[in-house]
Amino acid sequence: MAMGKKVARESLLPCVREDDGSESEQEKVELGGIGSRLPSRPRKTYSRGSVRNQKVTRCDGSLLGSSDGASGEVEVLYGDRHQQEDADDEEEADEEEADEEEEGEDRGGTSNARKASGITCGMMMDEDYDTDLDLEDAAEVAYDPTGEAGYREACRTLKVIPASFFLRNMHGSELNMTHHGLGPQGTKALTVPLVTNISVVRLNLRDNWMEAPGGSAVAELLKENCYITEIDLSENRLGDGGAEALCSMLLENNTLACLRLSANELTDRAAKHLSLAISTNQSLESLDLSRNKLGDPAGEALGQAIADNTGLKDLNLAWNCIRGRGAIALAKGLGANIFLRKVDLSYNGLGRDGATALGDALRDNNTLEELDISNNRIPPEGAIRFSIGLKANKTIRILKMARNPMQSAGCYGILASIQSNTASIMEYLDFSDITVDLDFDKLYNNMKETFPSLQIKHGGRVNTHKTPT
């Protein structure tokens, strides 16, 4: 059928032919292109072929038409019914082709719409990932090495007023926040920016009533901060709970060199935590435990810890209650330590036995340079026994024994031991509030040639030659 139609078309004049583009498209349709008859459609028994313009003779012999005007040359016998069915089939095929073309256009439009939608979505995604705004936002939020923004936010969370002094001085290497009344909550807020602060090296928080919760917050701060080397937490009512938290911190911190815990109501219950921290931490060089409530059990625990420590150079245990066996244990610990340079045991209760044990420690110790045992109830006998250790010691430069009831006899015994030790480097003796007699004064004058740099401070000289009135 397709070949018959093509031959008929070629027989037409050029003026009535369709243009090349449409003819080519029509050929595609007739040769089985997009608009061709569906494969599932049943084929007809008869086809018109190329006899559309030819004469057809019915079965009864009547002439219907001729292609060249001559009757009877070409006769095809078809029934009227078959011819009508062919015409209906052709019309139905044309309608199906039109429907398929419309469906193709709809599909193409939908596909194009989807493509356009995909392109639009892609453009929107690209706009979402545009980094210009991100860069501007990052420029606005600059890195804050001092943590000022974090401090303000912490104050809002904890409902405390930000300390203006802290905001003004948090950029320096030394921050002094004494007597600011921070309290536990204010201390917690203060520790938030100090965790990441790299400027502050020395921190003074004396007298801020931080109590145990504030001390725990400071302990957590020092576990993270590796720049603070010196901190003063004196007069803060930390108690044993705060001391336990800080001792736990000392087991991890390796940068803190100076810790002051004076006047924090520490008792013997805190001694076991303190002793563990002193035995373990070898980077701490200065520890102040003065003005607390440490007694004999604390002296025994700390004595063993001091013997094991190899980092401490300055230990202050003044104004405590160490006496008796605690004083003896502490003295033995000092004798075994070879790193301490300065020890303050003033205002305790060493007594005679404690002074004797301390004299034995000085005979073995060759590193201690400064010792303060003022106001320790040391009698004349205890001072004389203590002076035995000074006959062999070669490192003590400063010795303070003020306000002890050792009288002039005890002072004379100390001075005589120093005179007999040619290797002594003693530079200063403090016998404040203790009166001396003429014998002591003569001995001191005789020693000026041997020890020209020796200075002695006493409570005055008793005039033994004055006659009573």
Side-chain angles (χ1 to χ4, degrees):
M1 178 183 66
M3 293 299 295
K5 289 185 178 181
K6 184 174 181 182
V7 173
R9 186 178 294 105
E10 290 177 352
S11 64
L12 297 177
L13 295 176
C15 60
V16 297
R17 291 183 182 176
E18 297 180 353
D19 53 52
D20 296 338
S22 63
E23 180 181 356
S24 176
E25 185 68 19
Q26 186 65 23
E27 292 176 359
K28 293 180 180 179
V29 172
E30 293 179 354
L31 293 176
I34 297 177
S36 62
R37 187 177 296 174
L38 295 176
S40 60
R41 180 183 178 187
R43 298 182 62 85
K44 298 298 180 180
T45 309
Y46 303 100
S47 176
R48 294 185 301 273
S50 59
V51 299
R52 178 176 300 177
N53 297 326
Q54 297 178 357
K55 294 181 180 180
V56 179
T57 304
R58 295 181 182 272
C59 295
D60 55 358
S62 59
L63 182 62
L64 296 180
S66 176
S67 61
D68 55 355
S71 60
E73 284 188 3
V74 179
E75 292 183 356
V76 180
L77 300 178
Y78 289 106
D80 294 339
R81 183 173 57 83
H82 297 125
Q83 186 176 5
Q84 184 64 32
E85 288 178 356
D86 292 342
D88 295 339
D89 293 340
E90 183 178 2
E91 184 178 355
E92 183 181 353
D94 293 338
E95 291 177 357
E96 291 178 357
E97 290 176 1
D99 294 339
E100 290 176 359
E101 289 178 357
E102 291 179 0
E103 184 178 358
E105 291 178 357
D106 294 341
R107 291 178 179 176
T110 303
S111 178
N112 294 335
R114 290 180 178 175
K115 291 181 179 178
S117 176
I119 294 173
T120 305
C121 293
M123 295 176 63
M124 293 177 64
M125 292 178 64
D126 292 340
E127 291 177 358
D128 293 341
Y129 284 96
D130 195 355
T131 57
D132 293 339
L133 295 178
D134 296 341
L135 293 176
E136 292 178 1
D137 295 340
E140 292 177 359
V141 183
Y143 174 66
D144 184 12
T146 60
E148 179 178 347
Y151 175 60
R152 293 184 182 275
E153 181 63 26
C155 289
R156 284 194 294 268
T157 303
L158 297 172
K159 298 180 180 180
V160 296
I161 300 175
S164 58
F165 182 85
F166 174 66
L167 294 173
R168 292 194 304 269
N169 296 274
M170 63 192 306
H171 305 277
S173 61
E174 183 173 358
L175 179 61
N176 190 339
M177 292 286 293
T178 58
H179 317 300
H180 276 75
L182 296 175
Q185 296 295 92
T187 303
K188 291 180 181 179
L190 193 73
T191 58
V192 171
L194 291 177
V195 171
T196 57
N197 188 291
I198 61 176
S199 302
V200 178
V201 177
R202 293 180 295 276
L203 179 61
N204 191 342
L205 298 176
R206 176 186 288 266
D207 188 23
N208 278 286
W209 207 272
M210 61 179 59
E211 298 181 334
S216 299
V218 174
E220 295 299 322
L221 156 68
L222 295 176
K223 287 180 180 180
E224 301 295 335
N225 188 295
C226 58
Y227 294 93
I228 297 177
T229 60
E230 180 178 339
I231 187 169
D232 191 346
L233 301 176
S234 303
E235 303 175 27
N236 275 294
R237 299 173 61 89
L238 296 178
D240 296 335
E244 181 179 357
L246 291 169
C247 291
S248 176
M249 174 271 300
L250 290 175
L251 300 179
E252 302 180 19
N253 186 291
N254 294 321
T255 58
L256 190 66
C258 179
L259 174 62
R260 295 186 176 93
L261 298 175
S262 177
N264 275 297
E265 301 180 358
L266 307 185
T267 67
D268 293 334
R269 288 192 295 273
K272 61 179 182 179
H273 304 293
L274 290 170
S275 61
L276 178 61
I278 294 174
S279 301
T280 305
N281 189 304
Q282 307 300 328
S283 60
L284 189 67
E285 298 180 357
S286 178
L287 178 61
D288 185 358
L289 298 173
S290 63
R291 298 181 180 274
N292 285 293
K293 302 176 181 179
L294 301 176
D296 291 348
E300 294 177 351
L302 294 176
Q304 183 61 42
I306 291 172
D308 298 334
N309 184 271
T310 59
L312 273 178
K313 297 179 180 179
D314 184 0
L315 177 62
N316 190 345
L317 289 170
W319 291 89
N320 279 287
C321 306
I322 302 175
R323 56 183 181 270
R325 65 179 187 276
I328 295 174
L330 193 62
K332 291 181 178 180
L334 291 175
N337 186 281
I338 58 174
F339 292 93
L340 278 169
R341 300 289 186 271
K342 180 180 179 180
V343 175
D344 189 349
L345 295 175
S346 61
Y347 291 88
N348 279 281
L350 298 182
R352 184 190 64 181
D353 296 337
T356 302
L358 196 57
D360 296 337
L362 291 180
R363 184 171 53 192
D364 300 328
N365 186 286
N366 57 0
T367 57
L368 193 63
E369 299 177 359
E370 183 175 347
L371 177 64
D372 189 349
I373 52 175
S374 300
N375 204 340
N376 267 281
R377 298 184 299 175
I378 299 177
E381 183 181 359
I384 293 174
R385 291 184 177 183
F386 171 79
S387 65
I388 297 176
L390 294 176
K391 293 181 179 181
N393 187 275
K394 303 176 181 180
T395 58
I396 288 286
R397 296 184 301 105
I398 299 174
L399 177 61
K400 299 178 180 180
M401 300 182 69
R403 290 174 290 280
N404 276 299
M406 58 186 189
Q407 302 177 2
S408 180
C411 296
Y412 186 90
I414 298 292
L415 193 60
S417 297
I418 295 173
Q419 183 187 30
S420 62
N421 184 1
T422 57
S424 176
I425 58 172
M426 188 69 68
E427 298 177 357
Y428 181 75
L429 286 173
D430 186 2
F431 297 143
S432 297
D433 296 335
I434 303 176
T435 58
V436 296
D437 55 15
L438 291 177
D439 294 337
F440 177 87
D441 195 27
K442 290 180 181 179
L443 178 61
Y444 175 54
N445 290 330
N446 294 333
M447 291 177 59
K448 287 184 178 180
E449 295 182 358
T450 310
F451 299 91
S453 60
L454 178 61
Q455 298 180 3
I456 299 177
K457 181 181 179 180
H458 53 76
R461 185 178 60 194
V462 177
N463 187 2
T464 56
H465 300 287
K466 183 178 180 180
T467 57
T469 56

